[in-house]
Amino acid sequence: MTRTRLIIGSRGSALALWQAQWVQRELQGRFPGITIGIEIIKTTGDKMLDSPLSKIGDKGLFTREIESALLLHHIDVAVHSLKDLPTTLPDGLVLGAICEREDVRDVFIPHPRNTIRTLLDQPRGAQIATGSLRRKCQLLHLRPDIQPVDLRGNLHTRFKKLEQSDWAGMLLARAGVVRLGWTDRIGETLSLESMLPAVGQGALGIEIRHGDETTAELVRPLHHLPTAYAALAERALLRKLEGGCQIPIGTYGRVVDENGRQILRLDAVVGSLDGTRIVRGHIAGSVDAAELVGEELALTLLHSGADRILQEIRAAALSHTPEA
């Protein structure tokens, strides 16, 4: 079947539109005979900006409405930040492509008036803003004296909130800052040894309907195998740990060449909310068994004490859930 029109579904933030427009340009360059448009769809996560992500749940928070439009044939593809996409997709949807990853690391953005550019050199008791439990956990593990401040909103909103605050700075994913052209605001790019990223951080996921072979053929050229292997391992690890925005989990997968063989290496960390307890793990395996590699590392973490940390976090979350 020949397609003459393709509609991309996207959130409306500047970063989400950058991502959707990048996919639009890539597809348009390959298939100039197809009219490709973008449909902006507001998600639950875009509407609920007053509560921390950890308090409002995370299953499809930034994807559910877009996926519904895809299932209803209102759009043909959905473009997501892969770290927003739940590890289990709704029936009828599949990942048609995982695009090449941007830098996976986090960055410290100092307040414009703050002359101290590096995170660990901030004074005792400095306030650092982030909306991520993963970042808070690893930050407090590095600097227990730091005061984390909760931060929500798109990148423009976060930069504005920082400028209007007395915080020392904030933590963000480097990928989004680079994509929107704000690299001059970066004080420091954090090492992977000090701050492991979120699952899928820096990568784009293109979601399509299962069985839509025409669309699958169109998006297939955007699929980047090394990124896909790494992301599949990270997502399998998260799925096995049953984690998400409510659990401090960091992980980083990458494909490396060792003596002419492609090896998948995966690091991960699970920590308590206050950063006092951290369980780390590392594994290497075959790229052809990426999901098994992720699941094996998850089991290693659980047996090393992550199970107790996760049980405590979930029990605390349940105890703070109001009755219906």
Side-chain angles (χ1 to χ4, degrees), residues 3 14 21 52 85 87 90 109 137 140 151 154 162 168 172 188 226 230 234 239 258 268 272-273:
R3 183 184 289 279
Q21 289 162 0
L85 196 61
T87 55
I109 309 287
C137 165
L140 288 171
L151 178 64
N154 60 45
L162 175 64
L172 297 174
E188 178 186 17
E234 293 172 6
R239 188 163 51 242
E258 294 185 1
S272 59
L273 296 177

Side-chain angles (χ1 to χ4, degrees), residues 261-281:
R261 288 183 60 226
Q262 283 195 322
I263 301 295
L264 175 61
R265 293 194 170 276
L266 185 66
D267 290 278
V269 61
V270 177
S272 59
L273 296 177
D274 61 5
T276 57
R277 287 176 294 157
I278 290 281
V279 179
R280 296 183 184 275

